[in-house]
Amino acid sequence: MRKSTKIQNSARGLTVKILTRIEKKAAYSDILLAETLKTSKLSPQDKRLTTILTYGVLRYQNQLDWYIQQTASVPLSKISIDIKIILRSAIYQIFHLDRIPAHAAIHEAVNLAHFFHPKASGFVNAVLRKIQLKYQSPLFAQLKNNSLSQICLSFAHPPWMVKRWLHRYGLKECLTLLGANNCPPPLTIRINTLKVPLTQVNTFLSELKELRPTPLQEGFSTEGPKPLIDTSSFEHGYFEIQGLSSMLVSHILDPQPGEKILDACAGRGGKSTHLAQLMNNKGVIVSLDPFFHKISALAGKAHRLGITILQPICADLLSNPF
C-alpha cells in the first residue's frame, strides 16, 4: 500500500475526512461515522480511536480553536478547513487523551498535513510545538476564576448555554452539569420485547459482552462487541441501540395498546419504535420527518424490529394535512 493511501485511510486520516465533511456539508456525525467505519479496514482499536477523535474534536471544538488562535501566526478564518481539523485533532490528543504521547500526536499531524497540503506541514508542526511548550498541561484543567469566558473554555460549552444554566441553577450545579455533559455516555441498548422475553435476554443476546441492567427494565449497558450493528442479534432485531434518556421519554408518554400517536419529529425512529414496542405493536403511530434518508432509515428499522403499526411519512407539521 502506498504511504499516502495508508495515511489517508488511517484512524487519524479518516477522522480528518469525516470532520471535514461535517464542517463543509453539515453532515450528521453519527451517520457519517457509522458509514465510514463499516467500509473501512481498520482494526477494532483504530475504529475506536476514530470514534473517540471524531466526537472529542466536535465536543471540545471551541476550546481547541482557542489554542490555535493563541498560537498560530494567521487568523483561524484564514486556515483551510482540513488543516484546521488536523490541528484540532492533534491538540485534542495532546490534552485529552492520556495514552497518546504528545510527540506521537504531533508527528502524525505533520504527516497528515503533508498529505493534504504539503506546504502546510511546517505550519502545523510549528503551531503544535508552540502549544506543547507553552501549555504544559491543559490550561482549563482547574478554574482560577468564575468568569463566563473561562467557564465556557474550560468545559467547551457555548456562552448562551452557560448563561442559561448559571441563571437557572447557580454556579455549583452549573459546573456539575457541564462536567457531566462532557462525559461520553455508556453504550446502552433497548431489548426488543416484541421478540425477546426479558427473562431470556442472555440467551437471545449471548454474543454481547457484559450485559448490565439499568433502571429501565428493557435498557441494558454493554461493552460490545463493537460495532454492535454487525452482530447477528442486531440483524435479527433482538435489540436497538438507544440512550437511556431517549428511552425515558417514551415511558413518560406512557403509550397504551390501541392508541393513535403522532411523532412529529421522528428522525430515524428510536422513540417511534420504542413507543410501538410499549404499545405491544397495537394501534397506529404516524412518524413524521422532513428528511427522506431519515424516514427511509426509520422504515428499515421498523422492519428489522418486526413493527407493523408505524406509518413513516416524509413531511412536517407545516405540511398538509397536519
Side-chain angles (χ1 to χ4, degrees):
M1 181 184 293
R2 293 172 53 191
K3 184 177 180 180
S4 60
T5 304
K6 186 176 181 180
I7 292 173
Q8 184 181 11
N9 294 322
S10 66
R12 293 174 177 86
L14 288 181
T15 298
V16 172
K17 290 196 288 186
I18 291 169
L19 290 172
T20 299
R21 188 171 167 188
I22 290 171
E23 186 146 336
K24 286 183 176 180
K25 299 183 178 180
Y28 289 93
S29 57
D30 55 343
I31 298 175
L32 184 57
L33 180 64
E35 290 176 347
T36 303
L37 295 182
K38 189 172 184 178
T39 57
S40 77
K41 297 181 180 179
L42 292 177
S43 66
Q45 292 81 4
D46 280 342
K47 287 183 178 181
R48 175 172 170 77
L49 177 59
T50 301
T51 302
I52 291 172
L53 290 178
T54 299
Y55 288 133
V57 170
L58 291 173
R59 183 178 295 116
Y60 285 94
Q61 183 170 310
N62 68 338
Q63 185 188 101
L64 304 174
D65 285 350
W66 184 91
Y67 281 108
I68 299 172
Q69 289 172 324
Q70 298 300 308
T71 313
S73 57
V74 296
L76 191 68
S77 59
K78 298 294 184 181
I79 303 174
S80 66
I81 290 177
D82 40 17
I83 293 300
K84 189 161 45 181
I85 288 172
I86 289 172
L87 288 171
R88 288 172 182 165
S89 177
I91 298 168
Y92 176 77
Q93 293 171 68
I94 291 171
F95 291 123
H96 295 283
L97 296 185
D98 296 333
R99 296 185 179 181
I100 299 179
H103 66 84
I106 295 172
H107 176 74
E108 293 296 331
V110 172
N111 283 340
L112 281 170
H114 186 75
F115 170 77
F116 284 98
H117 288 289
K119 294 182 180 180
S121 57
F123 170 76
V124 168
N125 185 58
V127 170
L128 296 177
R129 295 293 180 189
K130 287 180 183 178
I131 290 174
Q132 184 188 19
L133 292 173
K134 187 175 180 180
Y135 307 106
Q136 296 298 320
S137 61
L139 182 62
F140 315 107
Q142 295 181 345
L143 286 174
K144 296 180 181 179
N145 59 61
N146 295 325
S147 68
L148 177 66
S149 60
Q150 188 175 26
I151 293 174
C152 292
L153 288 172
S154 297
F155 294 96
H157 276 64
W160 67 265
M161 184 178 290
V162 176
K163 285 181 181 178
R164 174 183 292 177
W165 287 358
L166 282 172
H167 176 72
R168 289 182 177 178
Y169 309 116
L171 177 62
K172 183 178 179 180
E173 186 68 14
C174 173
L175 297 181
T176 301
L177 281 170
L178 293 170
N181 212 30
N182 277 337
C183 295
L187 180 60
T188 55
I189 62 172
R190 184 187 86 234
I191 305 300
N192 180 14
T193 52
L194 297 176
K195 291 187 175 184
V196 179
L198 289 175
T199 56
Q200 299 180 39
V201 169
N202 289 326
T203 301
F204 279 83
L205 279 68
S206 59
E207 62 186 315
L208 271 60
K209 299 178 181 178
E210 297 185 36
L211 276 176
R212 295 181 295 275
T214 69
L216 298 179
Q217 63 175 358
E218 73 272 42
F220 287 78
S221 64
T222 179
E223 294 299 325
K226 298 175 182 177
L228 289 175
I229 59 174
D230 290 339
T231 62
S232 61
S233 302
F234 181 84
E235 292 177 359
H236 287 119
Y238 294 159
F239 71 88
E240 176 59 27
I241 302 168
Q242 189 176 14
L244 290 179
S245 58
S246 179
M247 296 183 215
L248 186 60
V249 173
S250 299
H251 280 284
I252 291 172
L253 183 62
D254 191 25
Q256 300 300 312
E259 289 185 338
K260 296 179 180 178
I261 293 177
L262 173 66
D263 186 347
C265 188
R268 294 189 299 279
K271 296 181 186 68
S272 282
T273 54
H274 190 197
L275 292 171
Q277 177 178 320
L278 294 175
M279 295 164 65
N280 200 27
N281 201 31
K282 296 177 181 178
V284 176
I285 299 176
V286 177
S287 302
L288 304 184
D289 199 274
F291 297 102
F292 179 77
H293 70 276
K294 290 187 177 182
I295 286 296
S296 178
L298 185 154
K301 181 177 296 186
H303 177 74
R304 178 174 57 82
L305 296 172
I307 293 169
T308 58
I309 66 170
L310 292 188
Q311 296 182 11
I313 299 177
C314 189
D316 59 32
L317 282 176
L318 298 180
S319 307
N320 289 325
F322 305 104

PDB file of all heavy atoms in Angstrom, residues 195-196 203-208 224-240 304-305:
ATOM      1  N   LYS A 195     -39.786  -9.403  20.469  1.00  0.00           N
ATOM      2  CA  LYS A 195     -39.124 -10.626  20.019  1.00  0.00           C
ATOM      3  C   LYS A 195     -38.401 -11.365  21.138  1.00  0.00           C
ATOM      4  O   LYS A 195     -38.196 -12.584  21.035  1.00  0.00           O
ATOM      5  CB  LYS A 195     -38.113 -10.293  18.910  1.00  0.00           C
ATOM      6  CG  LYS A 195     -38.717  -9.839  17.594  1.00  0.00           C
ATOM      7  CD  LYS A 195     -37.634  -9.700  16.531  1.00  0.00           C
ATOM      8  CE  LYS A 195     -38.229  -9.358  15.168  1.00  0.00           C
ATOM      9  NZ  LYS A 195     -37.191  -9.317  14.098  1.00  0.00           N
ATOM     10  N   VAL A 196     -38.003 -10.631  22.176  1.00  0.00           N
ATOM     11  CA  VAL A 196     -37.175 -11.226  23.221  1.00  0.00           C
ATOM     12  C   VAL A 196     -37.836 -11.056  24.586  1.00  0.00           C
ATOM     13  O   VAL A 196     -37.990  -9.926  25.062  1.00  0.00           O
ATOM     14  CB  VAL A 196     -35.774 -10.571  23.260  1.00  0.00           C
ATOM     15  CG1 VAL A 196     -34.927 -11.180  24.380  1.00  0.00           C
ATOM     16  CG2 VAL A 196     -35.074 -10.719  21.918  1.00  0.00           C
ATOM     17  N   THR A 203     -29.938 -15.409  26.790  1.00  0.00           N
ATOM     18  CA  THR A 203     -29.995 -16.477  25.790  1.00  0.00           C
ATOM     19  C   THR A 203     -30.028 -15.906  24.377  1.00  0.00           C
ATOM     20  O   THR A 203     -29.282 -16.340  23.496  1.00  0.00           O
ATOM     21  CB  THR A 203     -31.243 -17.352  26.013  1.00  0.00           C
ATOM     22  OG1 THR A 203     -31.187 -17.914  27.322  1.00  0.00           O
ATOM     23  CG2 THR A 203     -31.315 -18.464  24.977  1.00  0.00           C
ATOM     24  N   PHE A 204     -30.875 -14.908  24.157  1.00  0.00           N
ATOM     25  CA  PHE A 204     -31.016 -14.323  22.818  1.00  0.00           C
ATOM     26  C   PHE A 204     -29.815 -13.444  22.443  1.00  0.00           C
ATOM     27  O   PHE A 204     -29.500 -13.311  21.269  1.00  0.00           O
ATOM     28  CB  PHE A 204     -32.299 -13.485  22.752  1.00  0.00           C
ATOM     29  CG  PHE A 204     -33.547 -14.285  22.521  1.00  0.00           C
ATOM     30  CD1 PHE A 204     -34.197 -14.903  23.571  1.00  0.00           C
ATOM     31  CD2 PHE A 204     -34.071 -14.439  21.246  1.00  0.00           C
ATOM     32  CE1 PHE A 204     -35.354 -15.641  23.369  1.00  0.00           C
ATOM     33  CE2 PHE A 204     -35.220 -15.182  21.015  1.00  0.00           C
ATOM     34  CZ  PHE A 204     -35.870 -15.786  22.095  1.00  0.00           C
ATOM     35  N   LEU A 205     -29.185 -12.845  23.447  1.00  0.00           N
ATOM     36  CA  LEU A 205     -28.088 -11.913  23.182  1.00  0.00           C
ATOM     37  C   LEU A 205     -26.773 -12.440  23.754  1.00  0.00           C
ATOM     38  O   LEU A 205     -25.969 -11.704  24.314  1.00  0.00           O
ATOM     39  CB  LEU A 205     -28.401 -10.532  23.780  1.00  0.00           C
ATOM     40  CG  LEU A 205     -29.315  -9.615  22.960  1.00  0.00           C
ATOM     41  CD1 LEU A 205     -30.730 -10.139  22.891  1.00  0.00           C
ATOM     42  CD2 LEU A 205     -29.328  -8.215  23.546  1.00  0.00           C
ATOM     43  N   SER A 206     -26.527 -13.723  23.572  1.00  0.00           N
ATOM     44  CA  SER A 206     -25.345 -14.353  24.154  1.00  0.00           C
ATOM     45  C   SER A 206     -24.037 -13.815  23.578  1.00  0.00           C
ATOM     46  O   SER A 206     -22.993 -13.885  24.227  1.00  0.00           O
ATOM     47  CB  SER A 206     -25.411 -15.877  23.948  1.00  0.00           C
ATOM     48  OG  SER A 206     -25.492 -16.185  22.558  1.00  0.00           O
ATOM     49  N   GLU A 207     -24.064 -13.263  22.365  1.00  0.00           N
ATOM     50  CA  GLU A 207     -22.830 -12.763  21.756  1.00  0.00           C
ATOM     51  C   GLU A 207     -22.410 -11.396  22.288  1.00  0.00           C
ATOM     52  O   GLU A 207     -21.297 -10.936  22.043  1.00  0.00           O
ATOM     53  CB  GLU A 207     -22.970 -12.697  20.235  1.00  0.00           C
ATOM     54  CG  GLU A 207     -24.067 -11.751  19.764  1.00  0.00           C
ATOM     55  CD  GLU A 207     -24.264 -11.823  18.255  1.00  0.00           C
ATOM     56  OE1 GLU A 207     -23.275 -11.827  17.507  1.00  0.00           O
ATOM     57  OE2 GLU A 207     -25.432 -11.889  17.831  1.00  0.00           O
ATOM     58  N   LEU A 208     -23.295 -10.725  23.024  1.00  0.00           N
ATOM     59  CA  LEU A 208     -22.963  -9.428  23.596  1.00  0.00           C
ATOM     60  C   LEU A 208     -22.243  -9.609  24.926  1.00  0.00           C
ATOM     61  O   LEU A 208     -22.564 -10.525  25.701  1.00  0.00           O
ATOM     62  CB  LEU A 208     -24.215  -8.577  23.797  1.00  0.00           C
ATOM     63  CG  LEU A 208     -24.615  -7.700  22.600  1.00  0.00           C
ATOM     64  CD1 LEU A 208     -24.900  -8.534  21.378  1.00  0.00           C
ATOM     65  CD2 LEU A 208     -25.814  -6.838  22.955  1.00  0.00           C
ATOM     66  N   GLY A 224     -20.006  -4.411  24.263  1.00  0.00           N
ATOM     67  CA  GLY A 224     -19.795  -4.803  22.867  1.00  0.00           C
ATOM     68  C   GLY A 224     -20.232  -6.233  22.602  1.00  0.00           C
ATOM     69  O   GLY A 224     -21.060  -6.764  23.341  1.00  0.00           O
ATOM     70  N   PRO A 225     -19.708  -6.897  21.592  1.00  0.00           N
ATOM     71  CA  PRO A 225     -18.625  -6.432  20.721  1.00  0.00           C
ATOM     72  C   PRO A 225     -19.021  -5.254  19.842  1.00  0.00           C
ATOM     73  O   PRO A 225     -20.204  -4.978  19.676  1.00  0.00           O
ATOM     74  CB  PRO A 225     -18.336  -7.665  19.851  1.00  0.00           C
ATOM     75  CG  PRO A 225     -19.661  -8.352  19.764  1.00  0.00           C
ATOM     76  CD  PRO A 225     -20.302  -8.157  21.116  1.00  0.00           C
ATOM     77  N   LYS A 226     -18.025  -4.528  19.363  1.00  0.00           N
ATOM     78  CA  LYS A 226     -18.291  -3.359  18.544  1.00  0.00           C
ATOM     79  C   LYS A 226     -17.794  -3.617  17.130  1.00  0.00           C
ATOM     80  O   LYS A 226     -16.761  -4.246  16.926  1.00  0.00           O
ATOM     81  CB  LYS A 226     -17.582  -2.145  19.137  1.00  0.00           C
ATOM     82  CG  LYS A 226     -18.077  -1.803  20.543  1.00  0.00           C
ATOM     83  CD  LYS A 226     -17.266  -0.681  21.151  1.00  0.00           C
ATOM     84  CE  LYS A 226     -17.750  -0.397  22.579  1.00  0.00           C
ATOM     85  NZ  LYS A 226     -16.937   0.632  23.228  1.00  0.00           N
ATOM     86  N   PRO A 227     -18.466  -3.091  16.118  1.00  0.00           N
ATOM     87  CA  PRO A 227     -19.740  -2.382  16.214  1.00  0.00           C
ATOM     88  C   PRO A 227     -20.915  -3.332  16.416  1.00  0.00           C
ATOM     89  O   PRO A 227     -20.959  -4.411  15.820  1.00  0.00           O
ATOM     90  CB  PRO A 227     -19.834  -1.651  14.882  1.00  0.00           C
ATOM     91  CG  PRO A 227     -19.037  -2.480  13.943  1.00  0.00           C
ATOM     92  CD  PRO A 227     -17.929  -3.091  14.751  1.00  0.00           C
ATOM     93  N   LEU A 228     -21.841  -2.916  17.241  1.00  0.00           N
ATOM     94  CA  LEU A 228     -22.991  -3.763  17.569  1.00  0.00           C
ATOM     95  C   LEU A 228     -23.859  -4.067  16.362  1.00  0.00           C
ATOM     96  O   LEU A 228     -24.529  -5.098  16.317  1.00  0.00           O
ATOM     97  CB  LEU A 228     -23.840  -3.084  18.650  1.00  0.00           C
ATOM     98  CG  LEU A 228     -23.241  -3.021  20.056  1.00  0.00           C
ATOM     99  CD1 LEU A 228     -24.158  -2.217  20.974  1.00  0.00           C
ATOM    100  CD2 LEU A 228     -23.014  -4.408  20.617  1.00  0.00           C
ATOM    101  N   ILE A 229     -23.857  -3.143  15.385  1.00  0.00           N
ATOM    102  CA  ILE A 229     -24.726  -3.345  14.221  1.00  0.00           C
ATOM    103  C   ILE A 229     -24.271  -4.525  13.362  1.00  0.00           C
ATOM    104  O   ILE A 229     -25.009  -4.968  12.480  1.00  0.00           O
ATOM    105  CB  ILE A 229     -24.804  -2.072  13.350  1.00  0.00           C
ATOM    106  CG1 ILE A 229     -23.414  -1.659  12.854  1.00  0.00           C
ATOM    107  CG2 ILE A 229     -25.471  -0.941  14.104  1.00  0.00           C
ATOM    108  CD1 ILE A 229     -23.451  -0.502  11.891  1.00  0.00           C
ATOM    109  N   ASP A 230     -23.063  -5.036  13.617  1.00  0.00           N
ATOM    110  CA  ASP A 230     -22.585  -6.184  12.840  1.00  0.00           C
ATOM    111  C   ASP A 230     -22.927  -7.515  13.494  1.00  0.00           C
ATOM    112  O   ASP A 230     -22.596  -8.569  12.956  1.00  0.00           O
ATOM    113  CB  ASP A 230     -21.061  -6.092  12.655  1.00  0.00           C
ATOM    114  CG  ASP A 230     -20.666  -4.966  11.713  1.00  0.00           C
ATOM    115  OD1 ASP A 230     -21.519  -4.531  10.928  1.00  0.00           O
ATOM    116  OD2 ASP A 230     -19.502  -4.517  11.771  1.00  0.00           O
ATOM    117  N   THR A 231     -23.570  -7.494  14.650  1.00  0.00           N
ATOM    118  CA  THR A 231     -23.897  -8.745  15.338  1.00  0.00           C
ATOM    119  C   THR A 231     -25.183  -9.357  14.765  1.00  0.00           C
ATOM    120  O   THR A 231     -26.052  -8.646  14.261  1.00  0.00           O
ATOM    121  CB  THR A 231     -24.090  -8.503  16.849  1.00  0.00           C
ATOM    122  OG1 THR A 231     -25.195  -7.604  17.053  1.00  0.00           O
ATOM    123  CG2 THR A 231     -22.841  -7.906  17.473  1.00  0.00           C
ATOM    124  N   SER A 232     -25.281 -10.666  14.867  1.00  0.00           N
ATOM    125  CA  SER A 232     -26.485 -11.337  14.374  1.00  0.00           C
ATOM    126  C   SER A 232     -27.703 -10.971  15.226  1.00  0.00           C
ATOM    127  O   SER A 232     -28.829 -10.928  14.725  1.00  0.00           O
ATOM    128  CB  SER A 232     -26.279 -12.856  14.381  1.00  0.00           C
ATOM    129  OG  SER A 232     -26.034 -13.330  15.684  1.00  0.00           O
ATOM    130  N   SER A 233     -27.483 -10.689  16.513  1.00  0.00           N
ATOM    131  CA  SER A 233     -28.593 -10.294  17.390  1.00  0.00           C
ATOM    132  C   SER A 233     -29.229  -8.995  16.904  1.00  0.00           C
ATOM    133  O   SER A 233     -30.453  -8.837  16.942  1.00  0.00           O
ATOM    134  CB  SER A 233     -28.083 -10.106  18.825  1.00  0.00           C
ATOM    135  OG  SER A 233     -27.487 -11.276  19.316  1.00  0.00           O
ATOM    136  N   PHE A 234     -28.392  -8.075  16.432  1.00  0.00           N
ATOM    137  CA  PHE A 234     -28.912  -6.814  15.908  1.00  0.00           C
ATOM    138  C   PHE A 234     -29.655  -7.059  14.604  1.00  0.00           C
ATOM    139  O   PHE A 234     -30.755  -6.532  14.381  1.00  0.00           O
ATOM    140  CB  PHE A 234     -27.766  -5.825  15.693  1.00  0.00           C
ATOM    141  CG  PHE A 234     -28.205  -4.479  15.180  1.00  0.00           C
ATOM    142  CD1 PHE A 234     -28.644  -3.497  16.061  1.00  0.00           C
ATOM    143  CD2 PHE A 234     -28.176  -4.189  13.816  1.00  0.00           C
ATOM    144  CE1 PHE A 234     -29.055  -2.251  15.597  1.00  0.00           C
ATOM    145  CE2 PHE A 234     -28.584  -2.954  13.349  1.00  0.00           C
ATOM    146  CZ  PHE A 234     -29.023  -1.984  14.239  1.00  0.00           C
ATOM    147  N   GLU A 235     -29.063  -7.858  13.727  1.00  0.00           N
ATOM    148  CA  GLU A 235     -29.686  -8.145  12.435  1.00  0.00           C
ATOM    149  C   GLU A 235     -31.051  -8.822  12.602  1.00  0.00           C
ATOM    150  O   GLU A 235     -31.972  -8.576  11.814  1.00  0.00           O
ATOM    151  CB  GLU A 235     -28.758  -9.030  11.599  1.00  0.00           C
ATOM    152  CG  GLU A 235     -27.475  -8.324  11.149  1.00  0.00           C
ATOM    153  CD  GLU A 235     -26.549  -9.246  10.390  1.00  0.00           C
ATOM    154  OE1 GLU A 235     -26.898 -10.439  10.242  1.00  0.00           O
ATOM    155  OE2 GLU A 235     -25.478  -8.791   9.955  1.00  0.00           O
ATOM    156  N   HIS A 236     -31.194  -9.636  13.623  1.00  0.00           N
ATOM    157  CA  HIS A 236     -32.465 -10.320  13.871  1.00  0.00           C
ATOM    158  C   HIS A 236     -33.470  -9.422  14.586  1.00  0.00           C
ATOM    159  O   HIS A 236     -34.622  -9.844  14.804  1.00  0.00           O
ATOM    160  CB  HIS A 236     -32.237 -11.595  14.696  1.00  0.00           C
ATOM    161  CG  HIS A 236     -31.610 -12.707  13.922  1.00  0.00           C
ATOM    162  ND1 HIS A 236     -30.385 -13.271  14.251  1.00  0.00           N
ATOM    163  CD2 HIS A 236     -32.028 -13.370  12.809  1.00  0.00           C
ATOM    164  CE1 HIS A 236     -30.085 -14.222  13.387  1.00  0.00           C
ATOM    165  NE2 HIS A 236     -31.064 -14.311  12.497  1.00  0.00           N
ATOM    166  N   GLY A 237     -33.068  -8.224  14.953  1.00  0.00           N
ATOM    167  CA  GLY A 237     -33.989  -7.297  15.592  1.00  0.00           C
ATOM    168  C   GLY A 237     -34.239  -7.572  17.059  1.00  0.00           C
ATOM    169  O   GLY A 237     -35.283  -7.181  17.598  1.00  0.00           O
ATOM    170  N   TYR A 238     -33.258  -8.222  17.717  1.00  0.00           N
ATOM    171  CA  TYR A 238     -33.437  -8.523  19.135  1.00  0.00           C
ATOM    172  C   TYR A 238     -33.211  -7.297  20.017  1.00  0.00           C
ATOM    173  O   TYR A 238     -33.645  -7.288  21.173  1.00  0.00           O
ATOM    174  CB  TYR A 238     -32.493  -9.646  19.563  1.00  0.00           C
ATOM    175  CG  TYR A 238     -32.777 -10.979  18.917  1.00  0.00           C
ATOM    176  CD1 TYR A 238     -31.793 -11.969  18.857  1.00  0.00           C
ATOM    177  CD2 TYR A 238     -34.024 -11.263  18.369  1.00  0.00           C
ATOM    178  CE1 TYR A 238     -32.043 -13.202  18.264  1.00  0.00           C
ATOM    179  CE2 TYR A 238     -34.284 -12.482  17.770  1.00  0.00           C
ATOM    180  CZ  TYR A 238     -33.280 -13.452  17.717  1.00  0.00           C
ATOM    181  OH  TYR A 238     -33.540 -14.660  17.121  1.00  0.00           O
ATOM    182  N   PHE A 239     -32.527  -6.305  19.494  1.00  0.00           N
ATOM    183  CA  PHE A 239     -32.289  -5.100  20.284  1.00  0.00           C
ATOM    184  C   PHE A 239     -32.084  -3.908  19.361  1.00  0.00           C
ATOM    185  O   PHE A 239     -31.845  -4.045  18.160  1.00  0.00           O
ATOM    186  CB  PHE A 239     -31.078  -5.264  21.213  1.00  0.00           C
ATOM    187  CG  PHE A 239     -29.743  -5.297  20.497  1.00  0.00           C
ATOM    188  CD1 PHE A 239     -29.046  -4.130  20.226  1.00  0.00           C
ATOM    189  CD2 PHE A 239     -29.182  -6.513  20.112  1.00  0.00           C
ATOM    190  CE1 PHE A 239     -27.820  -4.162  19.559  1.00  0.00           C
ATOM    191  CE2 PHE A 239     -27.957  -6.554  19.455  1.00  0.00           C
ATOM    192  CZ  PHE A 239     -27.275  -5.373  19.177  1.00  0.00           C
ATOM    193  N   GLU A 240     -32.174  -2.723  19.944  1.00  0.00           N
ATOM    194  CA  GLU A 240     -31.912  -1.463  19.249  1.00  0.00           C
ATOM    195  C   GLU A 240     -30.932  -0.663  20.097  1.00  0.00           C
ATOM    196  O   GLU A 240     -30.991  -0.697  21.332  1.00  0.00           O
ATOM    197  CB  GLU A 240     -33.207  -0.676  19.039  1.00  0.00           C
ATOM    198  CG  GLU A 240     -33.044   0.686  18.403  1.00  0.00           C
ATOM    199  CD  GLU A 240     -32.377   0.608  17.027  1.00  0.00           C
ATOM    200  OE1 GLU A 240     -32.490  -0.428  16.339  1.00  0.00           O
ATOM    201  OE2 GLU A 240     -31.731   1.602  16.664  1.00  0.00           O
ATOM    202  N   ARG A 304     -36.875  -4.397  10.643  1.00  0.00           N
ATOM    203  CA  ARG A 304     -35.932  -5.263  11.349  1.00  0.00           C
ATOM    204  C   ARG A 304     -36.469  -5.655  12.731  1.00  0.00           C
ATOM    205  O   ARG A 304     -36.278  -6.787  13.185  1.00  0.00           O
ATOM    206  CB  ARG A 304     -34.581  -4.556  11.493  1.00  0.00           C
ATOM    207  CG  ARG A 304     -33.529  -5.336  12.259  1.00  0.00           C
ATOM    208  CD  ARG A 304     -32.181  -4.637  12.246  1.00  0.00           C
ATOM    209  NE  ARG A 304     -32.280  -3.298  12.789  1.00  0.00           N
ATOM    210  CZ  ARG A 304     -32.269  -3.016  14.090  1.00  0.00           C
ATOM    211  NH1 ARG A 304     -32.160  -3.985  14.974  1.00  0.00           N
ATOM    212  NH2 ARG A 304     -32.366  -1.771  14.506  1.00  0.00           N
ATOM    213  N   LEU A 305     -37.154  -4.734  13.385  1.00  0.00           N
ATOM    214  CA  LEU A 305     -37.670  -4.980  14.730  1.00  0.00           C
ATOM    215  C   LEU A 305     -39.021  -5.695  14.728  1.00  0.00           C
ATOM    216  O   LEU A 305     -39.536  -6.051  15.778  1.00  0.00           O
ATOM    217  CB  LEU A 305     -37.793  -3.653  15.491  1.00  0.00           C
ATOM    218  CG  LEU A 305     -36.472  -2.914  15.756  1.00  0.00           C
ATOM    219  CD1 LEU A 305     -36.742  -1.526  16.330  1.00  0.00           C
ATOM    220  CD2 LEU A 305     -35.570  -3.720  16.694  1.00  0.00           C
TER     221      LEU A 305
END
